[in-house]
Every structure is written in structure tokens, then in C-alpha cells.
Amino acid sequence: MKKTIVVGVSSSIAAYKSADLVSKLLKKGYDVEVIMTKNATEFITPLTFSSLTKHKTCVDTFDRNVQYDVEHISLAKKADLFIIAPATANIIAKVANGIADDMLSTTFLASKCPKIIAPAMNTAMYENPITEDNLKKLRNYGVAIVEPDNGLLACGDTGKGRLADIETLLDAIDEHIHIDKPLKGKKVIVSAGPTIEKIDPVRYITNHSTGKMGYAIAEAARNMGADVTLVSGKTNLRVPSNITFIQIESAKEMFEAIKNIYDEADYVIKSAAVADFRPKVEALNKIKKEDSNGVIELERTDDILAYLGSHKTHQKLCGFAMETENVLNNAKEKLLKKNCDMLVLNNLRTEGAGFGVDTNVVTVLTKENTEELECMPKKDLAYIILEKLMEV
């Protein structure tokens, strides 16, 4: 069943960005209802949101041309999450102090679902002690606040007050709509992306990993309530909000980063594509072809998964295996040899799996069971991997 997001739009110049937020929420499969303040309609029309959502955009508490019996109560009950974006100083003051004098403030106060406020205003207004006090009140009441960005504001000032970017708002919604937090209080380490092993200042050895699976797991773990650390090689992906991010380049850097925090972890998911070999010597200058015999002497990198498996105390450890032949036998051998609690197997030659795609086809192995899963989006698979690891 689709979850319903109620989006409140108040009278900020950033109101136009709410249309993009609504559009992206719909693409993610949410049902979206929009409530606007009357002043917000001066910046963007209700028809814009109605055209997107296929629902009437609510503005007037006493609008009789609606199907709800008591509209603000019906919407409040329907909402799985309520976000006001943008939220002006005025609407923040109202809801923080229990004032319900329009459709938006009334419905927000009547809602019992998770709530998010995304402020957008002039820097002086945002930093005013009264606004700061109101935001503190809302936090104490359990309302999540998505901090605004720094930058050039519509008034010409530069400072904090710009509505947070849409991807950050989507992150917050995905995180807070998950009421069940089975990983709350747990620390999760996820590795993702490729490693780079330098040959000289120009050339290096790497692989095709894009990090999509690892980043999806990090987001899912965060949404499930975990304290997440993402250790990642270089990717083109946006770093998920509300996690600890450690950027690495080489296998050695990844090894040291994970080893330093391993004792604190409850779960470790090693989805990164780590190089097995690196050049034995990194040339200080670019290697000229006339000075080279075309041979690069390699040495083994640290086996991170083997180290983690041999130093386990209380941690649950999940490894990944990308194979092209003898896939199941190789995966079973890796599971036992590296002392993993669970291993996720990819076959690079399977359609819908592999590097750079948004779907994956995996087999999940434990010491007791082997389960083949159907092709699915990596974001969906991420939850299944975490749920299965919790059960091991």
C-alpha cells in the first residue's frame, strides 16, 4: 500500500522548489497531498500541485468543494509523514506555539505521524533568537528539522537560510517515514565503490564499481535507525545525509579506516570492490614508454574481509562476491575462508546485475542456507540484506 506524504507549502520564494519535491516523491512511489497557505499561492499556483498529484490542493479551511468530511482531520489521519517545505518563520512560530488559524497549521497540529520542518528565510530571520527558540521547541516535540543551506538568498544577502536541496529533503523523508527502527542504537559500517592503486602520478589500477549497492545499503541502514559509517572509494554518487562519511582512495586507506572503527561496529557490510593487487612501487614521475619494458610488478593488498573475519568478537560480518565462473562454489568457499556470517553473491554475466545498473540479482549465502533472490532495485535489496544479516 502506498504511503502518503503531506507537503505543506508556506509563503517563501522557495515555494517553487516544492513542485520539484512533489514530482520526485511521486516518482518514488509515494501518494502526495499538498496544503498551501494563502500567501504561498502568490508564488506558485495550487493548480501546479493538483496537476502533479491528481489531488485537490488544499488552501482554505472552509472550502466546501472538497470530499473530506472534516478535511484537516481527514488529511491528518491519512498522512504517513508531514513535511512543511519551505517553512517560513511565520509558520514555524505558529506550529511551535500551537496556533492553528489556517489549513496548514491546523492539519499539521492534528497530525500524529512523523513531521519534518524545512526552514527557508532571510538569514537574519533564521538566526533571530525567537526563530531559534521556536525550532528548539519543535525539536523537543519530536519534529525533525532539515537545516537550511548557506548561499545567496533572494533578498541579495548571503548566509544561512536557503531551503535545503531537494535530495536532502528526500533523504529526510525516506529516513523518518520508517517508523520501525530495528537497528536503533546499532553501529553499521558499509564499504562501497572502487579502490584506486596508483602506478604513477597519471595512471592507476581500478575497476568498474559505481558504489550504488553500498550507498543503498548505507541509506537503508540509516532509515532503519542505525548509526552508519560509509567508507567509500571515489564515486559520482551523492553522499547520503545523516551518516558519517569517510572518503578513501586505495585499498590500504580503506583497510586502515575500517580497522580503526571495527571494534565499535555491530554490523559490517563489505560491498566495496577492493583491488587484490597494487603496484609494488609507485613511480614518482610519469613513466615514459621509452623508459619502460611494459611490465608492472604487483604485490597483494591487505585482505580486509579476511582480517575482519579473523578479528570478530561480537560483529555480524557480510561480504560480497562478484564472480564470472563456478560462482556458487567460489562463493561458498569465500564465505567459510573469510569467516563471514553472510555473503552476497553476484554473477557479473546475469542480466540485471553487475556494475553501474540500478537493479541487482543476488544469491544470499550463510553457513546453513543458500537463497536466490529475484531481480529487484538495489534500494529494495538493501533492506533485505540488512534484515537477513540481523537474523543470522
Side-chain angles (χ1 to χ4, degrees):
M1 184 175 176
K2 280 187 177 182
K3 289 187 178 292
T4 299
I5 311 295
V6 175
V7 177
V9 183
S10 62
S11 56
S12 162
I13 188 67
Y16 74 92
K17 296 181 181 178
S18 301
D20 189 25
L21 173 63
V22 168
S23 177
K24 285 185 166 62
L25 285 170
L26 292 167
K27 288 176 182 176
K28 289 170 74 71
Y30 292 118
D31 181 32
V32 183
E33 298 270 4
V34 177
I35 305 174
M36 302 177 70
T37 63
K38 285 186 178 180
N39 286 343
T41 64
E42 299 295 326
F43 293 98
I44 186 169
T45 67
L47 181 59
T48 300
F49 294 110
S50 296
S51 299
L52 289 168
T53 65
K54 311 307 179 196
H55 296 303
K56 176 180 171 60
T57 301
C58 299
V59 179
D60 188 349
T61 310
F62 300 104
D63 187 346
R64 298 182 184 276
N65 296 314
V66 294
Q67 296 178 356
Y68 297 101
D69 293 330
V70 183
E71 189 172 8
H72 68 280
I73 299 299
S74 298
L75 276 178
K77 288 180 177 179
K78 184 181 180 183
D80 293 295
L81 182 139
F82 201 133
I83 180 171
I84 302 180
T88 59
N90 184 58
I91 194 67
I92 289 169
K94 284 183 182 182
V95 297
N97 293 283
I99 297 171
D101 63 355
D102 63 8
M103 187 66 180
L104 179 53
S105 57
T106 302
T107 311
F108 191 85
L109 289 171
S111 298
K112 295 182 179 180
C113 62
K115 301 174 186 177
I116 300 172
I117 291 284
M121 66 195 74
N122 172 268
T123 303
M125 294 177 71
Y126 179 72
E127 294 177 349
N128 188 296
I130 298 173
T131 303
E132 291 178 345
D133 217 31
N134 287 330
L135 289 170
K136 185 178 179 181
K137 276 186 184 180
L138 288 170
R139 288 189 183 95
N140 290 338
Y141 292 141
V143 178
I145 309 298
V146 180
E147 295 290 332
D149 290 337
N150 278 287
L152 181 64
L153 306 176
C155 61
D157 291 345
T158 299
K160 196 168 187 179
R162 289 177 59 181
L163 181 68
D165 71 76
I166 299 302
E167 293 301 323
T168 300
L169 297 178
L170 292 170
D171 256 5
I173 290 166
D174 286 341
E175 178 180 359
H176 290 285
I177 203 166
H178 286 80
I179 299 173
D180 295 330
K181 303 288 183 185
L183 287 174
K184 188 173 183 178
K186 301 296 183 181
K187 293 186 180 293
V188 174
I189 299 172
V190 182
S191 72
T195 58
I196 288 175
E197 309 301 330
K198 292 182 179 178
I199 298 170
D200 61 22
V202 178
R203 307 174 183 91
Y204 53 83
I205 299 171
T206 190
N207 57 68
H208 295 294
S209 175
T210 59
K212 287 185 176 182
M213 190 71 251
Y215 278 58
I217 293 170
E219 286 191 23
R222 178 206 62 195
N223 294 346
M224 294 168 73
D227 178 0
V228 181
T229 299
L230 175 60
V231 183
S232 176
K234 291 183 177 180
T235 74
N236 293 320
L237 302 176
R238 186 185 61 85
V239 178
S241 60
N242 295 333
I243 67 166
T244 300
F245 181 72
I246 301 176
Q247 178 78 71
I248 60 88
E249 188 172 85
S250 67
K252 185 70 175 176
E253 290 175 1
M254 181 170 282
F255 175 59
E256 293 298 331
I258 296 176
K259 185 172 71 169
N260 289 340
I261 56 176
Y262 186 47
D263 289 344
E264 306 169 6
D266 297 292
Y267 299 91
V268 180
I269 300 95
K270 284 286 289 89
S271 65
V274 183
D276 294 323
F277 296 92
R278 62 174 168 245
K280 194 169 186 178
V281 177
E282 179 187 337
L284 294 176
N285 297 301
K286 179 182 176 182
I287 300 171
K288 300 291 186 181
K289 56 186 174 184
E290 56 267 22
D291 299 328
S292 172
N293 60 4
V295 176
I296 301 172
E297 190 175 359
L298 302 176
E299 64 180 6
R300 287 190 177 275
T301 59
D302 299 294
D303 191 327
I304 304 173
L305 191 59
Y307 174 88
L308 299 179
S310 64
H311 288 77
K312 277 195 304 181
T313 53
H314 62 284
Q315 299 90 345
K316 295 282 186 72
L317 179 61
C318 175
F320 271 65
M322 175 71 77
E323 301 289 348
T324 58
E325 58 181 355
N326 301 322
V327 291
L328 198 54
N329 288 336
N330 288 341
K332 287 178 178 178
E333 182 181 344
K334 183 174 183 177
L335 173 75
L336 298 174
K337 187 177 179 181
K338 304 297 174 72
N339 194 27
C340 295
D341 296 286
M342 193 171 90
L343 190 130
V344 180
L345 167 64
N346 293 110
N347 184 340
L348 189 59
R349 305 197 190 284
T350 300
E351 185 178 352
F355 297 121
V357 295
D358 292 325
T359 58
N360 212 344
V361 185
V362 305
T363 300
V364 178
L365 296 89
T366 64
K367 292 180 175 70
E368 293 79 25
N369 296 302
T370 299
E371 182 180 359
E372 294 183 13
L373 301 180
E374 61 185 17
C375 182
M376 69 181 76
K378 288 179 177 177
K379 288 183 179 292
D380 294 340
L381 176 60
Y383 289 98
I384 294 174
I385 289 171
L386 288 165
E387 288 163 1
K388 290 186 177 299
L389 185 59
M390 290 171 63
E391 293 170 357
V392 175

